[in-house]
């Protein structure tokens, strides 16, 4: 019999109905029930034992593609084979050519990493079914088991991971009832980095979910079946894996977490009674990892409650607009803020730096502790250089440890752990007696683990192979049994020499010698002169021209040992490797602590290197509301542009200089760069970093909001203007007096009157209702009038210099409002045809003249119809009557001479002519 279908019964369910459909009419079958599961078996099917084994493995994998190990190949069958052939470009074949032929595709086992990476990148989950016993020892069909199910969120292999970026698996738990919108609507969110063991859980408001996911950037998101979040998350292009509802039952989740961490309660982790949804999500992740990894998770040794009140919040629009982790244009890390400031020399440090930027601090004391450590290493350049040089020889301890605990470590991994531990005494000596609290704490937390380091380095050769089955990675002298086997495998020269001397002594034949060939194995060779002197236990095997060849029972026993010594030695090495791996696993907590120390030290050294090299200052961070920046620079452009070309700017936001800055000026003059610059400097300061400025003092902000640039959501039926208004609404509804808001060109996606009105009302709301620090860049010069009406509003503009019919953008922010936009000049720089530029100049001159003259509805002749008197009436603004009309009406044609009339007409023409 074999399983033909399987399913689950809801946890703790008493009454249930099972519906099973069979493709074989009248097929006799048996039904077996277990707690929470049912299996159905068929009898009489004619599949081979191998394919029955495949079917059993496929049931374990569910919707994952199954890679079924068969000798030196991984094979896929049925629809999996068709999918893999299409995705990987494999040849699709079959096991036979009949009408019921089974589609099949496969690849050699040593190409697993490459093909697995392609399948994961394509969004598939992949089950790996391995041969779990030696085919030489198997009785009947080789035993096979699904050893793991790989998905984008559960990767631990170096070949499948970006070493400098975290790889998160997240779970969303708890739908928001439709009748409970707003602050009372809470959902659970948990996320784990399996390759390092970092595990968080949080209870958040429903509207915060997408913001958190944007910051975390998980590769895979788990959702319970039927959740209203599934469609929304897929619409945002997240990979979603659905889970049964019972996997997130509260009792089950709490029990799983307590068993995982060996506690009787979760109170010690810092969770509150209202965090049930967070615990359900965390338990759901553990259930998923238990099903897919099928191995120990000892490196996941804690669950951290994530509290938004202790971190600076950044929503997804702001995260994207400020290009903190990815650029907008090509979604690349290159060109982002994190990429530019990353001076870490280890992958662990780069991931830690990204974590710091995703969780900026609001605690002034913690910020200052980081600053103290950075400042100490800025001042001590020699120590910083030595630490960075030593860090280059450190391996990725976090991910090495993850592979150890999931039973996927290699001998080379253990060698790397030993080599990393060997460097720790140098770090310990350099961190001793430091001034800053953070560096002293790193010194205290650094555990040399000397006994483990000595054991690993005494056991494993430095350049160990990747697979323990290859052998040759245990150091000679570490294990006497292994040394003996290796000597035997190498031919046992000493034993042969000793045995040869023994035979010579016992027989009195001085020239007897031991030889070897592939036909007879080991033999004793005696010349014809002495063959009659041999004892009866010598068995003749071959006659040669010069003598005879014999074997003895003792020699055959030794030969058997030699022939099996190599394989036995490899088996013994595998056993020793297992013991060493278990030893490392027993030190999981100590090694994780060391990884944390090294990663943090790398971040601090990297930020100190950045500060010293680019002349950053240490910002004064306090709980006041002001922002005072002298000669601030955009952290990305300051580094990416040619040295000295970036123009620095001051920022003064306080009671005296205004809480809302209205910034006008032409396109390309640097308004957007400037307001982003202030936001990024604030972010860097609250990470604990030094900042690109001559001096900086700022009060902690609780949230940064940025509405910069234009984008649409056409797949959701949202225009650019709709997206702009939705993001603006989010800011106005959630910003507080402690927030920093930067807005750019609000209202440009609709008519002039609508746009000005919305922008005007938003500024008033930010000023009167919220009172937050705001930088508002705009082309609506009408908004500059707000300085007169709002006590906290001030006008600033980007300075422009006109010289010889050329406009020079000075990129300098100065007090006051701009009087022009210079859009036509920018169009010229962009390559707009000359005819369009000249025509635009004519129209602009006409409009400006009419506006200054008070004309209600200016008329502009089209270029094509000017000679025939054709007009286009422009009615964007309400103008007064044009003064020239009054002059024409007052002109006395009866008394004017012909010459006077012509001169007057020429004057009128000159008055109407475009100004150059």
């Amino acid at each position: 019999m074999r399983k033909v279908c399987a399913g689950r019964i809801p946890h703790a369910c008493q009454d249930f109905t099972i519906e099973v459909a069979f493709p074989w009419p009248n097929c006799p079958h048996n039904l077996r029930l277990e707690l929470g599961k049912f299996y159905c078996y068929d009898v009489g099917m004619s599949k081979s034992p191998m394919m029955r084994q495949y079917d059993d493995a496929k049931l374990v994998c569910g919707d994952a593609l199954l890679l079924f190990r068969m000798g030196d190949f991984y094979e896929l069958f049925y629809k999996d084979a068709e999918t893999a052939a299409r995705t990987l470009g494999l040849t699709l074949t079959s096991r036979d050519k009949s009408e019921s032929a089974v589609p099949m595709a496969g690849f050699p086992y040593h190409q697993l990493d490459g093909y697995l990476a392609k399948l994961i990148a394509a969004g598939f989950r992949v089950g790996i079914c391995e041969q779990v016993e030696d085919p030489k020892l198997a009785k009947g069909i080789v035993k096979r088991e699904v050893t793991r199910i790989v998905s984008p969120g559960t990767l631990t292999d170096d070949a499948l991971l970006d070493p400098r970026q975290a790889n998160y698996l997240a779970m969303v738990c708890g739908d928001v009832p439709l009748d409970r919108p707003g602050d009372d609507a809470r959902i659970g969110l948990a996320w784990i980095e399996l390759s390092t063991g970092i595990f968080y859980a949080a209870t958040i408001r429903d509207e915060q979910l997408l913001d958190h996911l944007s910051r975390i950037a998980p590769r895979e998101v788990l959702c319970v079946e039927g959740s209203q979040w599934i469609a929304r998350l897929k619409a945002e292009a997240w990979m979603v894996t659905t889970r049964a509802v019972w996997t997130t039952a509260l009792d089950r989740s709490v029990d799983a977490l307590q068993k995982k961490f060996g506690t009787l309660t979760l109170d010690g982790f810092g969770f509150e009674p209202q965090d049930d949804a967070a615990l359900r999500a965390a338990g759901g992740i553990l259930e998923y990892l238990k099903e897919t990894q099928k191995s120990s998770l000892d490196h996941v040794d804690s669950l951290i409650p994530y509290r938004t009140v202790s971190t600076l919040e950044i929503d997804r629009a702001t995260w994207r607009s400020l290009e903190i982790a990815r650029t907008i244009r090509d979604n690349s890390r290159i060109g982002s803020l994190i990429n530019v400031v990353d001076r870490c020399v280890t992958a662990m440090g780069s991931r830690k730096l990204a974590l710091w930027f995703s969780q900026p601090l609001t605690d002034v004391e913690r910020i200052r502790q980081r600053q103290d450590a950075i400042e100490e290493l800025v001042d001590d350049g020699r120590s910083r250089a030595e630490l960075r040089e030593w860090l280059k020889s450190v391996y990725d301890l976090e991910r090495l440890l993850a592979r150890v605990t999931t039973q996927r470590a290699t001998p080379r991994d253990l060698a790397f752990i030993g080599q990393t531990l060997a460097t720790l005494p140098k770090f310990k000596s350099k961190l001793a007696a430091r001034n800053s609290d953070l560096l002293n704490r790193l010194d205290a937390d650094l555990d040399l683990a000397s006994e483990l380091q000595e054991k690993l380095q005494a056991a494993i050769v430095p350049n160990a192979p990747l697979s323990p089955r290859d052998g040759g990675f245990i150091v000679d002298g570490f294990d006497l049994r292994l040394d003996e086997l290796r000597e035997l495998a190498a031919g046992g020269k000493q034993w042969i020499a000793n045995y040869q001397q023994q035979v010579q002594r016992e027989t009195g034949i001085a020239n007897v010698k031991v030889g070897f060939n592939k036909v007879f194995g080991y033999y004793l060779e005696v010349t014809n002169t002495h063959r009659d002197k041999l004892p009866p236990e010598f068995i003749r095997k071959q006659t040669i021209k010069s003598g005879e060849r014999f074997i003895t029972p003792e020699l055959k026993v030794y030969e058997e040992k030699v022939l099996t010594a190599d394989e036995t030695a490899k088996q013994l090495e595998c056993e020793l490797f297992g013991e060493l791996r278990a030893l490392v696993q027993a030190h999981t907590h100590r090694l994780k602590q060391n990884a944390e120390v090294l990663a943090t030290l790398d971040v601090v050294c990297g930020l100190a290197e950045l500060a010293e090299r680019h002349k950053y200052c240490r910002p004064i961070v306090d709980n006041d509301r002001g922002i005072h920046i002298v000669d601030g620079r955009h952290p990305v452009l300051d580094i990416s542009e040619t040295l000295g070309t970036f123009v620095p700017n001051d920022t003064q936001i306080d009671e005296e200089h205004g809480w809302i800055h209205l910034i006008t000026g032409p396109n390309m003059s640097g308004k957007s760069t400037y307001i982003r610059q202030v936001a990024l400097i604030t972010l860097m300061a609250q990470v604990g970093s030094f900042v690109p400025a001559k001096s900086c003092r700022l009060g902690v902000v609780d949230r940064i909001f940025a509405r910069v640039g234009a984008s649409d959501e056409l797949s959701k039926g949202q225009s650019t203007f709709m997206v702009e208004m939705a993001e603006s609404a989010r800011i106005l509804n959630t910003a507080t007096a402690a927030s920093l808001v930067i807005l750019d060109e609000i209202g440009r996606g609709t008519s002039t009157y609508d746009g000005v009105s919305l922008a005007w009302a938003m500024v008033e709301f930010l000023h009167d209702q919220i009172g937050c620090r705001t930088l508002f860049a705009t082309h609506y010069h009408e908004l500059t009038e707000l300085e007169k009406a709002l006590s906290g509003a001030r006008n600033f503009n980007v300075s422009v210099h006109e010289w010889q019919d050329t406009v020079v953008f000075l990129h300098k922010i100065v007090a006051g409002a701009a009087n022009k936009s210079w859009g036509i000049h920018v169009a010229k720089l962009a390559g707009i045809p000359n005819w369009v530029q000249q025509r635009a100049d004519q129209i602009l001159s006409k409009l400006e003249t009419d506006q200054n003259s008070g004309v209600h509805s200016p008329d502009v002749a089209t270029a094509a119809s000017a000679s025939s008197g054709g007009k286009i009436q422009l009615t964007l603004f309400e103008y007064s009557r044009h003064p020239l009309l009054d002059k024409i009406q007052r002109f006395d044609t009866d008394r004017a001479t012909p010459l006077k009339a012509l001169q007057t007409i020429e004057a009128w023409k000159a008055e109407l002519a475009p100004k150059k």
Side-chain angles (χ1 to χ4, degrees):
M1 296 191 299
R2 71 175 187 85
K3 287 181 259 185
V4 295
C5 64
R8 292 190 180 275
I9 300 169
H11 182 64
C13 181
Q14 295 181 351
D15 299 319
F16 54 86
T17 301
I18 300 174
E19 233 176 76
V20 182
F22 293 95
W24 311 282
N26 303 318
C27 175
H29 58 273
N30 298 325
L31 189 66
R32 177 167 63 84
L33 297 179
E34 291 181 1
L35 178 61
K37 300 179 182 179
F38 68 84
Y39 298 101
C40 187
Y41 292 82
D42 80 271
V43 293
M45 292 299 296
S46 58
K47 282 192 175 183
S48 68
M50 178 83 69
M51 292 308 295
R52 293 178 186 175
Q53 197 178 54
Y54 170 84
D55 287 344
D56 288 344
K58 183 61 181 172
L59 286 174
V60 175
C61 291
D63 61 352
L65 301 178
L66 177 61
L67 302 181
F68 190 72
R69 182 71 178 268
M70 296 178 65
D72 290 337
F73 284 80
Y74 284 105
E75 301 287 0
L76 301 97
F77 300 98
Y78 302 106
K79 290 185 178 180
D80 285 2
E82 296 171 354
T83 301
R86 186 169 56 251
T87 305
L88 303 176
L90 302 175
T91 300
L92 187 65
T93 181
S94 62
R95 291 182 64 83
D96 59 62
K97 304 303 179 184
S98 66
E99 293 183 0
S100 59
V102 175
M104 180 177 72
F107 53 82
Y109 77 96
H110 61 270
Q111 296 178 355
L112 174 63
D113 285 348
Y115 283 117
L116 188 58
K118 291 180 181 179
L119 290 173
I120 295 299
F124 293 105
R125 298 167 68 247
V126 182
I128 301 177
C129 184
E130 297 283 9
Q131 297 175 172
V132 294
E133 65 175 336
D134 190 335
K136 297 177 182 177
L137 305 177
K139 296 180 179 179
I141 189 171
V142 177
K143 185 178 180 181
R144 293 177 173 85
E145 289 181 0
V146 176
T147 57
R148 58 175 169 148
I149 298 174
V150 184
S151 64
T154 62
L155 303 178
T156 57
D157 305 87
D158 274 351
L160 306 178
L161 291 167
D162 183 334
R164 292 189 173 269
Q165 295 189 54
N167 191 84
Y168 286 110
L169 168 71
M171 180 155 205
V172 178
C173 184
D175 278 345
V176 179
L178 297 179
D179 59 347
R180 286 180 53 203
D183 290 342
D184 291 335
R186 301 277 175 168
I187 58 176
L189 175 64
W191 61 101
I192 190 171
E193 221 285 4
L194 186 59
S195 70
T196 62
I198 297 175
F199 195 8
Y200 286 98
T203 303
I204 59 175
R205 299 190 304 274
D206 66 310
E207 68 269 15
Q208 293 178 307
L209 177 62
L210 297 181
D211 296 338
H212 282 284
L213 291 180
S214 296
R215 175 179 54 80
I216 298 166
R219 291 286 304 277
E220 181 180 8
V221 182
L222 308 178
C223 265
V224 296
E225 295 170 340
S227 171
Q228 65 184 19
W229 282 105
I230 294 176
R232 295 176 64 180
L233 292 173
K234 287 183 176 180
E236 296 291 337
W238 301 111
M239 177 186 172
V240 178
T241 300
T242 57
R243 302 286 292 155
V245 176
W246 62 265
T247 61
T248 58
L250 180 60
D251 291 345
R252 184 184 183 91
S253 294
V254 170
D255 183 60
L257 291 168
Q258 290 176 174
K259 287 181 179 178
K260 172 69 185 73
F261 301 119
T263 63
L264 296 177
T265 176
L266 298 177
D267 293 345
F269 289 87
F271 289 97
E272 304 293 340
Q274 63 268 27
D275 287 326
D276 285 354
L279 297 178
R280 289 172 56 204
I285 281 185
L286 280 185
E287 181 74 27
Y288 184 68
L289 294 179
K290 178 182 176 183
E291 289 183 13
T292 59
Q293 301 308 291
K294 304 182 184 303
S295 61
S296 167
L297 297 173
D298 285 351
H299 66 298
V300 183
D301 56 8
S302 181
L303 177 62
I304 305 170
Y306 179 81
R307 303 297 183 198
T308 56
V309 293
S310 63
T311 59
L312 185 159
E313 291 188 52
I314 303 175
D315 64 20
R316 61 177 179 144
T318 302
W319 188 263
R320 179 176 181 272
S321 294
L322 295 181
E323 299 184 304
I324 297 171
R326 297 276 175 175
T327 59
I328 294 176
R329 180 178 295 274
D330 54 9
N331 195 37
S332 170
R333 188 177 189 268
I334 298 175
S336 68
L337 173 66
I338 292 176
N339 181 73
V340 167
V341 302
D342 187 357
R343 292 293 185 276
C344 297
V345 295
T346 71
M348 291 188 295
S350 292
R351 296 196 301 270
K352 175 66 70 176
L353 178 71
L355 183 64
W356 280 18
F357 271 88
S358 69
Q359 299 177 7
L361 304 174
T362 55
D363 185 321
V364 172
E365 182 57 33
R366 291 183 63 195
I367 293 172
R368 289 174 181 169
Q369 287 179 0
R370 291 180 180 179
Q371 291 178 336
D372 289 343
I374 294 170
E375 183 174 38
E376 186 169 352
L377 292 176
V378 168
D379 295 338
D380 189 354
R382 181 175 179 179
S383 292
R384 184 180 75 247
E386 288 177 340
L387 288 168
R388 285 170 58 80
E389 189 63 31
W390 296 338
L391 282 165
K392 292 178 182 178
S393 62
V394 165
Y395 291 94
D396 195 338
L397 199 55
E398 287 180 326
R399 287 185 170 171
L400 289 171
L401 186 57
R403 290 201 291 278
V404 168
T405 58
T406 56
Q407 309 299 307
R408 286 191 282 276
T410 67
R412 188 174 299 177
D413 290 336
L414 297 192
F416 288 164
I417 292 174
Q419 293 167 32
T420 298
L421 292 177
T423 67
L424 298 188
K426 294 189 292 186
F427 291 105
K428 192 78 171 175
S429 64
K430 189 61 66 175
L431 290 174
R434 283 287 167 179
N435 296 322
S436 67
D437 290 341
L438 177 56
L439 293 181
N440 282 328
R441 188 165 67 249
L442 295 180
D443 176 39
D445 290 344
L446 193 62
D447 185 342
L448 298 182
S450 302
E451 69 285 359
L452 177 62
Q453 175 259 319
E454 292 170 359
K455 186 71 173 285
L456 290 176
Q457 292 207 296
I460 303 178
V461 299
N463 298 315
L466 287 175
S467 173
R469 294 181 180 178
D470 293 338
F473 58 87
I474 297 294
V475 175
D476 289 337
F478 178 76
D479 187 276
L480 292 178
R481 298 169 300 166
L482 182 61
D483 291 343
E484 293 175 357
L485 289 169
R486 284 176 172 173
E487 185 180 355
L488 284 172
K493 293 181 180 179
Q494 188 60 47
W495 189 92
I496 293 295
N498 292 339
Y499 182 69
Q500 184 171 293
Q501 291 175 5
Q502 175 187 336
V503 172
Q504 290 173 348
R505 187 170 55 253
E506 292 176 351
T507 61
I509 304 173
N511 63 355
V512 65
K513 61 182 180 179
V514 179
F516 177 84
N517 67 29
K518 294 181 179 180
V519 177
F520 300 116
Y522 285 98
Y523 57 83
L524 289 165
E525 185 174 308
V526 181
T527 61
N528 292 326
T529 305
H530 301 289
R531 63 185 177 183
D532 294 334
K533 300 178 181 179
L534 296 176
E537 63 266 23
F538 278 48
I539 304 170
R540 191 168 63 112
K541 296 297 294 183
Q542 186 180 23
T543 300
I544 58 176
K545 183 178 180 181
S546 59
E548 301 280 353
R549 289 176 176 175
F550 299 84
I551 61 172
T552 67
E554 187 176 3
L555 193 58
K556 294 308 292 182
V557 169
Y558 176 76
E559 177 184 302
E560 183 66 24
K561 290 181 179 180
V562 169
L563 294 179
T564 60
D566 186 59
E567 188 63 32
T568 305
K570 289 181 178 179
Q571 291 177 0
L572 179 56
E573 281 195 87
C574 287
E575 293 175 10
L576 294 172
F577 171 71
E579 294 173 3
L580 291 169
R581 185 175 60 191
L583 179 63
V584 172
Q585 189 168 343
H587 290 77
T588 295
H589 180 72
R590 300 171 70 186
L591 295 177
K592 279 197 69 176
Q593 183 172 287
N594 284 337
E596 173 73 15
V597 170
L598 293 172
T600 303
L601 181 61
D602 193 15
V603 172
V604 173
C605 286
L607 291 176
E609 182 77 10
L610 176 75
E612 195 278 332
R613 180 170 297 185
H614 294 282
K615 309 305 177 187
Y616 284 9
C617 75
R618 173 174 177 164
I620 299 173
V621 181
D622 52 34
N623 290 312
D624 293 337
R625 294 190 59 225
I627 296 179
H628 304 272
I629 302 171
V630 177
D631 285 348
R633 312 186 299 275
H634 191 290
V636 177
L637 299 180
D638 180 50
I639 294 176
S640 61
E641 291 188 354
T642 305
L643 183 65
T645 59
F646 188 85
V647 179
N649 271 293
D650 297 345
T651 303
Q652 302 287 335
I653 303 178
D654 53 24
E655 191 72 36
E656 178 184 354
H657 299 89
W659 299 110
I660 295 182
H661 288 190
L662 299 167
I663 306 166
T664 51
N667 287 306
M668 286 185 60
S669 62
K671 298 191 305 299
S672 296
T673 297
Y674 169 70
I675 63 177
R676 281 190 177 105
Q677 165 184 312
V678 175
L680 292 176
I681 287 175
T682 301
L683 171 62
M684 291 179 66
Q686 293 192 214
V687 164
S689 170
F690 283 25
V691 300
K694 185 176 181 180
S695 67
C696 175
R697 178 169 187 164
L698 57 86
V700 167
V701 304
D702 64 349
R703 302 176 185 182
I704 295 178
F705 293 98
R707 168 57 220 169
V708 180
S711 62
D712 54 35
E713 297 278 359
L714 297 181
S715 62
K716 301 177 184 178
Q718 297 183 359
S719 65
T720 301
F721 182 67
M722 183 61 182
V723 172
E724 176 186 315
M725 288 299 102
E727 293 177 359
S728 299
R730 177 74 180 279
I731 295 172
L732 298 176
N733 288 323
T734 56
T736 71
S739 300
L740 172 64
V741 174
I742 65 170
L743 297 169
D744 188 25
E745 303 301 340
I746 293 297
R748 300 293 289 184
T750 185
S751 71
T752 303
Y753 288 151
D754 280 353
V756 170
S757 301
L758 284 167
W760 187 296
M762 287 182 190
V763 174
E764 286 187 347
F765 188 87
L766 290 168
H767 182 276
D768 297 338
Q769 305 297 322
I770 300 177
C772 59
R773 291 156 282 188
T774 304
L775 297 174
F776 196 109
T778 183
H779 277 102
Y780 291 136
H781 291 180
E782 294 85 349
L783 297 184
T784 59
E785 295 298 316
L786 283 166
E787 184 182 57
K788 303 174 183 177
L790 303 178
S791 61
R794 299 289 187 276
N795 287 326
F796 292 86
N797 74 93
V798 188
S799 183
V800 175
H801 180 65
E802 295 182 68
W803 181 71
Q804 294 185 355
D805 199 30
T806 302
V807 176
V808 179
F809 297 144
L810 302 181
H811 305 294
K812 202 70 177 177
I813 304 295
V814 297
N819 57 4
K820 290 184 179 180
S821 293
W822 302 105
I824 295 175
H825 179 77
V826 174
K828 178 180 179 181
L829 296 177
I832 293 295
N834 289 334
W835 186 94
V836 175
Q837 298 169 35
Q838 294 169 3
R839 180 61 180 153
D841 277 329
Q842 293 172 1
I843 296 171
L844 177 63
S845 179
K846 169 63 174 171
L847 295 176
E848 290 178 342
T849 300
D850 288 351
Q851 182 179 13
N852 293 333
S853 302
V855 175
H856 285 280
S857 301
D859 290 341
V860 178
T862 64
S865 61
S867 58
S868 61
K871 302 285 184 179
I872 295 179
Q873 189 176 51
L874 303 181
T875 58
L876 290 177
F877 305 98
E878 289 290 340
Y879 293 122
S880 302
R881 179 180 175 84
H882 198 291
L884 188 58
L885 295 176
D886 295 330
K887 293 180 182 180
I888 293 173
Q889 287 183 335
R890 290 195 303 268
F891 185 75
D892 191 350
T893 55
D894 294 333
R895 296 184 179 182
T897 65
L899 179 60
K900 176 65 174 176
L902 290 174
Q903 290 174 339
T904 302
I905 293 172
E906 285 295 324
W908 291 343
K909 288 173 61 180
E911 187 174 340
L912 293 174
K915 297 178 181 180
K916 296 183 180 180

